[in-house]
Amino acid sequence: MRSIYLSSLILVPLLAVGQFADAAADDAANSIADIASSEWTGYVSLDSRLFFHSPAHPAQDDRSLSAAFQPEYYRNWDDGTQTLAFTPFLRLDANDDERTHADIRELFWRIEAEQFVFKAGVDTVFWGVAESQHLVDIINQTDLVENIDREDKLGQPMLNLDYLNDWGTWQAYLLPYFRERTFPGQDGRLRTEPLIDTDDAIYESGAEEHHVDFALRWSHYFGDWDIGIAHFSGTSREPLLVLDNSGSSPSLRPLYLQIDQTSLDVQVTKGAWLWKLEAIYNQNNIDDYYAYVGGFEFTQFGIAGSTVDLGWLLEYNYDERGDSAATVLQDDIFFGVRFTDNDIHNTRILAGGTVDMDSSSTFANVEASRRLNEHWVIGLEMRLFTNVDKQDPLHQLRDDDYVEIQLTRYF
Amino acid sequence: MRVKRISRTGFFRALFAFIGVAILCGPAFSEEPVSKASAPERGLAIALEADQRDSGFADTTVNLAMLLNLSGTEEVRREMRQLTLEVEGDGDKSIMVFDRPRDLNGTAILTFTHKVGNDDQWLYLPALKRVKRISSADKSGPFMGSEFAYEDLSSQEVEKYTYTYLRDEPVEDEPCFVVERVPVDPKSGYTRQVTWVDQSEYRLRRVDYYDRKGELLKTMTLAGYTQYLDQYWRPAKMIMKNHQNGKGTTLIFEDYRFRTGLTDSDFNRSALSRIR
C-alpha cells in the first residue's frame, strides 16, 4: 500500500501539468478544436462467490460478496503525441480484509516522437502468447487476491523507452520500486495454511523493495511468425515461501530472490492454427532452472453453418524444478475449448482443465461472459480442484471449489 | 465498401496484360473496341479504373457508427474509429478501435491486408494490455454480431476477385456497369457478388452477395457520396440487408479526414496499445 501513496506523490502533479500544457495549447491553437481530448470511462462490478464445500478453517465463510470500482481517466494533447492516463482501482470485500484493497493500475505520462515512445509512471505491461500460464510475463506483480488465474496485476512504477525501427520493437524498462504479491487473509478462502504473512516479507537484496530492476525486450514479426526475446534483472515477482515458527503461530513468509531471467516467446499463425511457445531460463542464488509452455489453439469457424466458432486448446507446461517447484505447473497438460458466438451479446465460454502428469491432480476451470446491453455484462466463473495430490501446492485449495457470478456496469 | 487503389507495379502489370490482349485482337478491337472486349476483360478493366481513381489518398481517418436492426423495433448502436494507411505495392494497413459498447472501449484490431494470401491481424485487449496475433482465416464470420462479414469490411484489393462484366443498368437513375466478381479465396462465404459501379465516377453503388449454395444472401447499398481532395469519393452510409433472416445493419461514416500525417510507425503492434 505504501507504494501506492509513493507513486501518487510523484505522479499526481503530472495531472496538473497535463491540464496546464493543454490549456496553453488551446490558447495557442484555438482553431483546431479537438487536438486535445480527454475522457472518463471505467466500470463498477459486484460479485459473489459460492463455495461448494465447508471451509477448512474456522474464520472462513461459505460465500463471499464483494464490489470493485475502476474509473479510467485518459487525456491526450499535442496532436495526440502526449498522453496522461490515471486508473485507480478499489475493491471492497465483505469477508476478507486482505482482499479489500486499493491500487493504482495506471498513472503515467507518455510522449511519442517519430520512432520513440517514452513513458514515466505506473503502468501494466503484458508479454507472452500462451493461455494456460503467462510464463514470460514479468514486469508486473500479480494481484493474487483478485483472482487465482493471475491475470490481475498491480501497477508497476517504471521509466520505459520504446524504439521502433525496421528491425523490430526495442523496449527498455527501469523499475525503481517493487510491489509485493497480495495474498488472502485469515478470513479469505483460497488461502494457504499456515497463512502467508505479507507484512513480513524477506528480501535477498539489502535494498529490499527499493532495489532497481531492469528489463529489455526485442520483439518483431516475420510473416506468420511473432517473436519476442527479453531479459529481466532484479527482484523475482514469484516469491518462495519460508516457514516461520518464531511467532505465536506458524506463518509463511514470502522470500523475494534476486534473479536474472531470459525469455523467448514465439507464435506461428498458420490459418486457423496458432502454435505457441514460451520459455524462460532463470538464474538465482538457490537453484537455476528452465521452464516452458508450448502448444496450439485451433479454431473451427462457423460450426455447421452457424455463427459459432469453436477453438481447441492444448498446452504442455514444464518446470525443471519438478515437484519442488514453486509453481503448480511443473509437468502438466492443459486442454480447453473456447466457444464464441459472434452475436451482439459477445457470448463467450472458455472451459478447460489442467492435469498433472505425475499425480493426475486436476484443476478444472470455466469462464463465461455475456453482454446484457449497452452497459451491463454478466460473467460466470467456476474453478474446481479434484483429486489433488498431497504434494501438489493446490492441495491447500482442495476444499475451495467455487462458482462466481459477476455483474459489471461499464461507463 | 469503397473501392481501393492498386499499387503502381500491380497496375502496370495489369495494363501491360491489357495492352497485350489488345494487340492480339488488334483488328477487331479497332473496329468496335468496347463490344468486342471479352466480359472478363471489361470487368477487370472497370475494377482497375475504379482502383486507379482511388489511389494516392495516403491515409484517412473516419468515425463509424454501426446500427443493428434486430427486429422491427430493437436497434443497437456501436461506435468505432478507423485509421487507414495506403501501402505501396501491397494491401492497406488499418486499425479499427472500438469506443462503444463500453465493455469493448479501447479494444483495437490491426490489419495488414495482402493482395495475395491471408491478411496479418493483431487484436489488442485493454483489460490485460495484451496484444494477440489472431487468425485471419475467418473471412465469413459476422463482424460484431452485425450483418457485415469480416470480408465485407476488409480492404477490397483488385486481386481478391476475378471479374465478369454483365450489363449496363442504372441504380437510382445513375447509369452503372454491372460486374460480377468471384472471390479468389476459397474460404470466402460467397460464391459470387454482383456489383453496380456508376459510370461517371466509378463508385460502388450496390452489391448483391450470393452464399455458398448460390442463393441471394444480402444486398448492400452505398449512399451519400462526398468527394474529398477533388478526387476521392467516400460514402456516408452503407446499408446491408440480409434477405434470408430479414435483419439489417447500417454503417454511418462521419468526419472523414485525408492525409492526416499517419505513417508506418502508427500501424504496428505497440501502436495498437496506444491508440485508445
Side-chain angles (χ1 to χ4, degrees), chain A residues 71-110:
Chain A
E72 299 172 28
Y73 177 75
Y74 193 79
R75 178 176 194 82
N76 67 61
W77 69 97
D78 200 5
D79 216 3
T81 58
Q82 295 197 60
T83 302
L84 184 79
F86 176 47
T87 306
F89 172 81
L90 174 69
R91 175 172 296 281
L92 300 172
D93 190 282
N95 309 75
D96 183 358
D97 292 345
E98 292 290 325
R99 196 160 187 250
T100 294
H101 69 301
D103 184 36
I104 291 175
R105 300 298 204 216
E106 287 183 328
L107 179 52
F108 63 79
W109 165 70
R110 184 176 63 208

Short mmCIF file of all heavy atoms in Angstrom, two decimals, chain A residues 71-110:
data_model
loop_
_atom_site.label_atom_id
_atom_site.label_comp_id
_atom_site.label_asym_id
_atom_site.label_seq_id
_atom_site.Cartn_x
_atom_site.Cartn_y
_atom_site.Cartn_z
N PRO A 71 -12.35 3.48 -12.19
CA PRO A 71 -12.51 4.57 -13.16
C PRO A 71 -11.21 4.75 -13.95
O PRO A 71 -10.13 4.44 -13.44
CB PRO A 71 -12.79 5.79 -12.29
CG PRO A 71 -12.14 5.49 -10.98
CD PRO A 71 -12.07 3.99 -10.85
N GLU A 72 -11.33 5.20 -15.18
CA GLU A 72 -10.14 5.41 -16.01
C GLU A 72 -10.17 6.80 -16.62
O GLU A 72 -11.13 7.14 -17.31
CB GLU A 72 -10.08 4.36 -17.13
CG GLU A 72 -10.00 2.94 -16.62
CD GLU A 72 -10.15 1.91 -17.74
OE1 GLU A 72 -9.79 2.23 -18.89
OE2 GLU A 72 -10.63 0.80 -17.45
N TYR A 73 -9.15 7.56 -16.32
CA TYR A 73 -9.05 8.89 -16.92
C TYR A 73 -7.97 8.85 -18.00
O TYR A 73 -6.88 8.29 -17.79
CB TYR A 73 -8.66 9.92 -15.86
CG TYR A 73 -8.46 11.31 -16.44
CD1 TYR A 73 -9.55 12.09 -16.82
CD2 TYR A 73 -7.18 11.84 -16.60
CE1 TYR A 73 -9.38 13.36 -17.35
CE2 TYR A 73 -7.00 13.11 -17.13
CZ TYR A 73 -8.10 13.86 -17.50
OH TYR A 73 -7.92 15.11 -18.04
N TYR A 74 -8.29 9.42 -19.15
CA TYR A 74 -7.37 9.35 -20.27
C TYR A 74 -7.41 10.68 -20.99
O TYR A 74 -8.46 11.17 -21.34
CB TYR A 74 -7.81 8.24 -21.21
CG TYR A 74 -6.80 7.85 -22.25
CD1 TYR A 74 -5.73 7.03 -21.93
CD2 TYR A 74 -6.92 8.29 -23.57
CE1 TYR A 74 -4.81 6.67 -22.88
CE2 TYR A 74 -6.00 7.93 -24.53
CZ TYR A 74 -4.94 7.11 -24.18
OH TYR A 74 -4.03 6.75 -25.12
N ARG A 75 -6.24 11.26 -21.16
CA ARG A 75 -6.21 12.56 -21.82
C ARG A 75 -5.05 12.59 -22.78
O ARG A 75 -3.95 12.15 -22.45
CB ARG A 75 -6.01 13.63 -20.75
CG ARG A 75 -5.92 15.04 -21.31
CD ARG A 75 -5.81 16.05 -20.17
NE ARG A 75 -6.05 17.39 -20.65
CZ ARG A 75 -7.23 17.93 -20.84
NH1 ARG A 75 -8.32 17.23 -20.59
NH2 ARG A 75 -7.36 19.17 -21.28
N ASN A 76 -5.28 13.05 -24.00
CA ASN A 76 -4.13 13.29 -24.85
C ASN A 76 -4.18 14.63 -25.54
O ASN A 76 -5.25 15.19 -25.77
CB ASN A 76 -3.78 12.10 -25.76
CG ASN A 76 -4.82 11.83 -26.80
OD1 ASN A 76 -5.10 12.69 -27.62
ND2 ASN A 76 -5.39 10.64 -26.75
N TRP A 77 -3.01 15.17 -25.77
CA TRP A 77 -2.91 16.52 -26.31
C TRP A 77 -1.67 16.58 -27.19
O TRP A 77 -1.02 15.57 -27.40
CB TRP A 77 -2.86 17.55 -25.16
CG TRP A 77 -1.62 17.53 -24.33
CD1 TRP A 77 -0.54 18.34 -24.47
CD2 TRP A 77 -1.33 16.67 -23.21
NE1 TRP A 77 0.41 18.04 -23.52
CE2 TRP A 77 -0.05 17.03 -22.75
CE3 TRP A 77 -2.02 15.64 -22.58
CZ2 TRP A 77 0.56 16.38 -21.67
CZ3 TRP A 77 -1.41 15.01 -21.51
CH2 TRP A 77 -0.15 15.38 -21.06
N ASP A 78 -1.39 17.79 -27.70
CA ASP A 78 -0.23 17.96 -28.55
C ASP A 78 -0.34 17.02 -29.77
O ASP A 78 0.56 16.24 -30.06
CB ASP A 78 1.05 17.66 -27.75
CG ASP A 78 2.29 18.27 -28.42
OD1 ASP A 78 2.12 18.98 -29.42
OD2 ASP A 78 3.40 18.02 -27.93
N ASP A 79 -1.52 17.10 -30.44
CA ASP A 79 -1.77 16.28 -31.62
C ASP A 79 -1.72 14.79 -31.29
O ASP A 79 -1.32 13.98 -32.14
CB ASP A 79 -0.74 16.62 -32.71
CG ASP A 79 -1.39 16.54 -34.09
OD1 ASP A 79 -2.60 16.28 -34.16
OD2 ASP A 79 -0.66 16.71 -35.07
N GLY A 80 -2.08 14.44 -30.08
CA GLY A 80 -2.12 13.03 -29.69
C GLY A 80 -0.77 12.44 -29.33
O GLY A 80 -0.67 11.26 -29.03
N THR A 81 0.29 13.26 -29.34
CA THR A 81 1.61 12.70 -29.06
C THR A 81 1.92 12.64 -27.57
O THR A 81 2.86 11.98 -27.15
CB THR A 81 2.73 13.50 -29.77
OG1 THR A 81 2.66 14.84 -29.32
CG2 THR A 81 2.58 13.43 -31.28
N GLN A 82 1.13 13.36 -26.76
CA GLN A 82 1.33 13.27 -25.31
C GLN A 82 0.06 12.75 -24.66
O GLN A 82 -1.04 13.14 -25.02
CB GLN A 82 1.71 14.63 -24.74
CG GLN A 82 3.05 15.11 -25.25
CD GLN A 82 3.60 16.23 -24.37
OE1 GLN A 82 3.83 16.06 -23.18
NE2 GLN A 82 3.78 17.39 -24.97
N THR A 83 0.26 11.89 -23.68
CA THR A 83 -0.87 11.22 -23.05
C THR A 83 -0.69 11.18 -21.55
O THR A 83 0.43 11.02 -21.05
CB THR A 83 -0.98 9.76 -23.55
OG1 THR A 83 -1.12 9.77 -24.96
CG2 THR A 83 -2.17 9.05 -22.94
N LEU A 84 -1.81 11.34 -20.86
CA LEU A 84 -1.81 11.15 -19.42
C LEU A 84 -2.92 10.15 -19.11
O LEU A 84 -4.04 10.31 -19.59
CB LEU A 84 -2.11 12.48 -18.74
CG LEU A 84 -2.05 12.42 -17.23
CD1 LEU A 84 -0.60 12.47 -16.79
CD2 LEU A 84 -2.81 13.58 -16.64
N ALA A 85 -2.59 9.12 -18.35
CA ALA A 85 -3.59 8.11 -18.00
C ALA A 85 -3.59 7.91 -16.50
O ALA A 85 -2.53 7.89 -15.87
CB ALA A 85 -3.30 6.79 -18.71
N PHE A 86 -4.77 7.76 -15.93
CA PHE A 86 -4.90 7.56 -14.49
C PHE A 86 -6.02 6.55 -14.25
O PHE A 86 -7.16 6.79 -14.62
CB PHE A 86 -5.19 8.89 -13.80
CG PHE A 86 -5.43 8.76 -12.32
CD1 PHE A 86 -4.58 8.00 -11.52
CD2 PHE A 86 -6.51 9.40 -11.71
CE1 PHE A 86 -4.79 7.88 -10.15
CE2 PHE A 86 -6.73 9.29 -10.33
CZ PHE A 86 -5.86 8.52 -9.56
N THR A 87 -5.67 5.41 -13.66
CA THR A 87 -6.65 4.37 -13.40
C THR A 87 -6.48 3.84 -11.98
O THR A 87 -5.68 2.95 -11.74
CB THR A 87 -6.50 3.19 -14.40
OG1 THR A 87 -6.54 3.71 -15.71
CG2 THR A 87 -7.59 2.16 -14.21
N PRO A 88 -7.22 4.41 -11.03
CA PRO A 88 -7.20 3.83 -9.69
C PRO A 88 -8.12 2.62 -9.64
O PRO A 88 -8.98 2.45 -10.50
CB PRO A 88 -7.74 4.97 -8.82
CG PRO A 88 -8.59 5.78 -9.73
CD PRO A 88 -8.05 5.61 -11.12
N PHE A 89 -7.89 1.77 -8.66
CA PHE A 89 -8.71 0.57 -8.51
C PHE A 89 -9.03 0.37 -7.04
O PHE A 89 -8.17 0.56 -6.18
CB PHE A 89 -7.95 -0.65 -9.05
CG PHE A 89 -8.63 -1.96 -8.76
CD1 PHE A 89 -9.68 -2.39 -9.55
CD2 PHE A 89 -8.24 -2.75 -7.68
CE1 PHE A 89 -10.32 -3.61 -9.28
CE2 PHE A 89 -8.87 -3.96 -7.41
CZ PHE A 89 -9.91 -4.38 -8.21
N LEU A 90 -10.27 0.02 -6.76
CA LEU A 90 -10.66 -0.23 -5.38
C LEU A 90 -11.53 -1.47 -5.30
O LEU A 90 -12.46 -1.63 -6.09
CB LEU A 90 -11.46 0.98 -4.84
CG LEU A 90 -12.06 0.82 -3.44
CD1 LEU A 90 -10.97 0.80 -2.37
CD2 LEU A 90 -13.06 1.94 -3.15
N ARG A 91 -11.20 -2.37 -4.36
CA ARG A 91 -12.10 -3.50 -4.11
C ARG A 91 -12.48 -3.53 -2.63
O ARG A 91 -11.64 -3.35 -1.76
CB ARG A 91 -11.47 -4.84 -4.49
CG ARG A 91 -12.37 -6.02 -4.10
CD ARG A 91 -11.93 -7.36 -4.61
NE ARG A 91 -11.94 -7.45 -6.06
CZ ARG A 91 -13.04 -7.66 -6.79
NH1 ARG A 91 -14.23 -7.73 -6.22
NH2 ARG A 91 -12.95 -7.76 -8.10
N LEU A 92 -13.77 -3.73 -2.40
CA LEU A 92 -14.26 -3.92 -1.05
C LEU A 92 -14.78 -5.34 -0.96
O LEU A 92 -15.58 -5.77 -1.79
CB LEU A 92 -15.40 -2.93 -0.76
CG LEU A 92 -15.03 -1.45 -0.88
CD1 LEU A 92 -16.27 -0.58 -0.77
CD2 LEU A 92 -14.00 -1.08 0.20
N ASP A 93 -14.28 -6.08 0.04
CA ASP A 93 -14.70 -7.47 0.18
C ASP A 93 -15.32 -7.64 1.55
O ASP A 93 -14.74 -7.25 2.56
CB ASP A 93 -13.49 -8.40 0.00
CG ASP A 93 -13.91 -9.85 -0.11
OD1 ASP A 93 -14.21 -10.48 0.93
OD2 ASP A 93 -13.94 -10.36 -1.25
N ALA A 94 -16.50 -8.22 1.60
CA ALA A 94 -17.24 -8.33 2.87
C ALA A 94 -16.59 -9.33 3.82
O ALA A 94 -16.84 -9.29 5.02
CB ALA A 94 -18.69 -8.73 2.59
N ASN A 95 -15.76 -10.24 3.27
CA ASN A 95 -15.25 -11.32 4.12
C ASN A 95 -13.78 -11.18 4.48
O ASN A 95 -13.37 -11.47 5.59
CB ASN A 95 -15.45 -12.66 3.41
CG ASN A 95 -16.86 -12.84 2.94
OD1 ASN A 95 -17.26 -12.24 1.95
ND2 ASN A 95 -17.64 -13.61 3.67
N ASP A 96 -12.98 -10.77 3.49
CA ASP A 96 -11.54 -10.84 3.66
C ASP A 96 -10.91 -9.44 3.65
O ASP A 96 -10.96 -8.74 2.66
CB ASP A 96 -10.95 -11.68 2.50
CG ASP A 96 -9.45 -11.88 2.64
OD1 ASP A 96 -8.85 -11.36 3.59
OD2 ASP A 96 -8.88 -12.57 1.77
N ASP A 97 -10.31 -9.06 4.77
CA ASP A 97 -9.69 -7.74 4.90
C ASP A 97 -8.54 -7.54 3.90
O ASP A 97 -8.27 -6.43 3.48
CB ASP A 97 -9.15 -7.52 6.31
CG ASP A 97 -10.27 -7.41 7.33
OD1 ASP A 97 -11.42 -7.21 6.88
OD2 ASP A 97 -9.99 -7.54 8.53
N GLU A 98 -7.84 -8.64 3.61
CA GLU A 98 -6.72 -8.53 2.68
C GLU A 98 -7.20 -8.31 1.24
O GLU A 98 -6.51 -7.72 0.43
CB GLU A 98 -5.83 -9.77 2.74
CG GLU A 98 -5.07 -9.94 4.05
CD GLU A 98 -3.96 -8.90 4.24
OE1 GLU A 98 -3.34 -8.51 3.22
OE2 GLU A 98 -3.74 -8.48 5.38
N ARG A 99 -8.39 -8.84 0.95
CA ARG A 99 -8.92 -8.66 -0.42
C ARG A 99 -9.50 -7.25 -0.59
O ARG A 99 -9.60 -6.74 -1.71
CB ARG A 99 -9.98 -9.73 -0.72
CG ARG A 99 -10.26 -9.84 -2.21
CD ARG A 99 -10.91 -11.15 -2.60
NE ARG A 99 -11.00 -11.26 -4.05
CZ ARG A 99 -12.14 -11.19 -4.74
NH1 ARG A 99 -13.29 -11.07 -4.13
NH2 ARG A 99 -12.13 -11.28 -6.07
N THR A 100 -9.90 -6.64 0.49
CA THR A 100 -10.28 -5.23 0.43
C THR A 100 -8.99 -4.44 0.24
O THR A 100 -8.14 -4.39 1.13
CB THR A 100 -10.97 -4.80 1.73
OG1 THR A 100 -12.22 -5.50 1.84
CG2 THR A 100 -11.23 -3.31 1.75
N HIS A 101 -8.81 -3.90 -0.95
CA HIS A 101 -7.56 -3.21 -1.22
C HIS A 101 -7.72 -2.19 -2.35
O HIS A 101 -8.68 -2.25 -3.13
CB HIS A 101 -6.44 -4.20 -1.55
CG HIS A 101 -6.59 -4.91 -2.86
ND1 HIS A 101 -7.67 -5.68 -3.18
CD2 HIS A 101 -5.77 -4.95 -3.95
CE1 HIS A 101 -7.52 -6.18 -4.40
NE2 HIS A 101 -6.38 -5.75 -4.90
N ALA A 102 -6.77 -1.27 -2.38
CA ALA A 102 -6.76 -0.25 -3.42
C ALA A 102 -5.43 -0.31 -4.14
O ALA A 102 -4.42 -0.76 -3.58
CB ALA A 102 -6.97 1.14 -2.83
N ASP A 103 -5.43 0.12 -5.39
CA ASP A 103 -4.19 0.11 -6.15
C ASP A 103 -4.27 1.21 -7.20
O ASP A 103 -5.37 1.69 -7.53
CB ASP A 103 -4.00 -1.26 -6.82
CG ASP A 103 -2.66 -1.36 -7.55
OD1 ASP A 103 -1.67 -0.81 -7.05
OD2 ASP A 103 -2.62 -1.97 -8.63
N ILE A 104 -3.13 1.59 -7.70
CA ILE A 104 -3.12 2.46 -8.88
C ILE A 104 -2.64 1.62 -10.05
O ILE A 104 -1.50 1.20 -10.10
CB ILE A 104 -2.23 3.70 -8.66
CG1 ILE A 104 -2.92 4.59 -7.62
CG2 ILE A 104 -2.02 4.46 -9.95
CD1 ILE A 104 -2.12 5.78 -7.20
N ARG A 105 -3.58 1.29 -10.94
CA ARG A 105 -3.26 0.43 -12.08
C ARG A 105 -2.46 1.21 -13.13
O ARG A 105 -1.58 0.67 -13.77
CB ARG A 105 -4.53 -0.11 -12.73
CG ARG A 105 -5.42 -0.94 -11.81
CD ARG A 105 -4.73 -2.18 -11.32
NE ARG A 105 -5.68 -3.23 -10.93
CZ ARG A 105 -5.51 -4.06 -9.92
NH1 ARG A 105 -4.44 -3.95 -9.14
NH2 ARG A 105 -6.39 -5.00 -9.65
N GLU A 106 -2.83 2.48 -13.30
CA GLU A 106 -2.14 3.34 -14.28
C GLU A 106 -2.05 4.74 -13.71
O GLU A 106 -3.02 5.26 -13.16
CB GLU A 106 -2.97 3.47 -15.57
CG GLU A 106 -3.02 2.30 -16.48
CD GLU A 106 -3.81 2.62 -17.75
OE1 GLU A 106 -4.77 3.41 -17.70
OE2 GLU A 106 -3.47 2.07 -18.79
N LEU A 107 -0.91 5.34 -13.88
CA LEU A 107 -0.77 6.78 -13.64
C LEU A 107 0.52 7.18 -14.33
O LEU A 107 1.60 7.13 -13.75
CB LEU A 107 -0.69 7.09 -12.14
CG LEU A 107 -0.50 8.58 -11.79
CD1 LEU A 107 -1.53 9.46 -12.46
CD2 LEU A 107 -0.54 8.79 -10.28
N PHE A 108 0.41 7.45 -15.61
CA PHE A 108 1.63 7.73 -16.35
C PHE A 108 1.48 8.89 -17.33
O PHE A 108 0.37 9.26 -17.71
CB PHE A 108 2.13 6.49 -17.11
CG PHE A 108 1.19 5.98 -18.18
CD1 PHE A 108 1.11 6.59 -19.42
CD2 PHE A 108 0.39 4.86 -17.95
CE1 PHE A 108 0.26 6.12 -20.41
CE2 PHE A 108 -0.47 4.38 -18.94
CZ PHE A 108 -0.53 5.01 -20.16
N TRP A 109 2.61 9.44 -17.68
CA TRP A 109 2.70 10.42 -18.74
C TRP A 109 3.52 9.79 -19.85
O TRP A 109 4.52 9.13 -19.58
CB TRP A 109 3.38 11.70 -18.23
CG TRP A 109 3.82 12.62 -19.34
CD1 TRP A 109 3.03 13.36 -20.16
CD2 TRP A 109 5.17 12.89 -19.74
NE1 TRP A 109 3.80 14.07 -21.05
CE2 TRP A 109 5.11 13.80 -20.82
CE3 TRP A 109 6.43 12.44 -19.30
CZ2 TRP A 109 6.26 14.27 -21.45
CZ3 TRP A 109 7.56 12.92 -19.93
CH2 TRP A 109 7.47 13.84 -20.99
N ARG A 110 3.08 9.98 -21.09
CA ARG A 110 3.74 9.34 -22.22
C ARG A 110 3.91 10.35 -23.34
O ARG A 110 3.01 11.15 -23.60
CB ARG A 110 2.90 8.17 -22.71
CG ARG A 110 3.53 7.37 -23.83
CD ARG A 110 2.68 6.18 -24.19
NE ARG A 110 1.39 6.61 -24.70
CZ ARG A 110 0.27 5.92 -24.61
NH1 ARG A 110 0.25 4.76 -24.01
NH2 ARG A 110 -0.86 6.39 -25.10
#
